[in-house]
Amino acid sequence: MRINLSWWLIGAASVFIVACTPAQEDSDKFVSGHTVVHEVFWGADHDNPYPFTTSGEISCVYYPTGIEVYFEPAGYSKDSSIGTPLNKAAADALKRDGMEPNVPYSIKEGADLSEAVDIGLQLCDEMLDNN
């Protein structure tokens, strides 16, 4: 049996290239971002009152199962901090992983979080569009 070496090399190279190329869904498994929020500037762009008791960051984390949105007070945005969940996906993720927020609770009582959640969702959408 005669082996055509050039076809064999092309086939082997193709397998190598395909095997070493990340799948599209793997590249979108983790996207995150954050934006700073402050009561003084909130009213310029938002209709609802500022929902937090202090300035801080709204952050988002995208997973294929959903976008998680969190709030972290200023000074608590570090790897070891666990922000306050602002949407169901974030609350469910913390519950599933047996975690609890470890930052001071900074949501005003009775606050409407819809605009804050929208900020986080839009942030992750923009990050995904740029990837």
Side-chain angles (χ1 to χ4, degrees):
M1 178 175 183
R2 187 174 156 182
I3 298 175
N4 188 339
L5 188 59
S6 61
W7 282 109
W8 184 85
L9 286 174
I10 291 172
S14 299
V15 169
F16 178 76
I17 290 171
V18 170
C20 294
T21 304
Q24 181 63 34
E25 58 267 8
D26 286 343
S27 66
D28 289 341
K29 281 195 175 175
F30 182 80
V31 172
S32 67
H34 69 275
T35 188
V36 175
V37 292
H38 194 283
E39 187 168 13
V40 172
F41 305 109
W42 184 266
D45 297 320
H46 306 285
D47 296 327
N48 293 336
Y50 187 69
F52 308 110
T53 59
T54 186
S55 60
E57 292 181 355
I58 294 174
S59 61
C60 73
V61 182
Y62 168 83
Y63 293 103
T65 56
I67 297 175
E68 301 168 17
V69 181
Y70 299 89
F71 175 75
E72 294 184 23
Y76 287 89
S77 304
K78 36 190 155 167
D79 289 339
S80 62
S81 66
I82 301 169
T84 303
L86 298 183
N87 67 347
K88 185 171 177 0
D92 290 348
L94 292 183
K95 185 177 180 179
R96 178 189 66 235
D97 296 337
M99 300 170 69
E100 292 185 14
N102 63 1
V103 297
Y105 193 76
S106 299
I107 297 175
K108 291 179 181 175
E109 190 173 327
D112 181 352
L113 296 175
S114 61
E115 286 185 293
V117 171
D118 286 344
I119 289 170
L121 295 174
Q122 290 172 3
L123 183 62
C124 262
D125 284 343
E126 289 171 10
M127 302 287 287
L128 284 168
D129 288 344
N130 291 333
N131 279 343

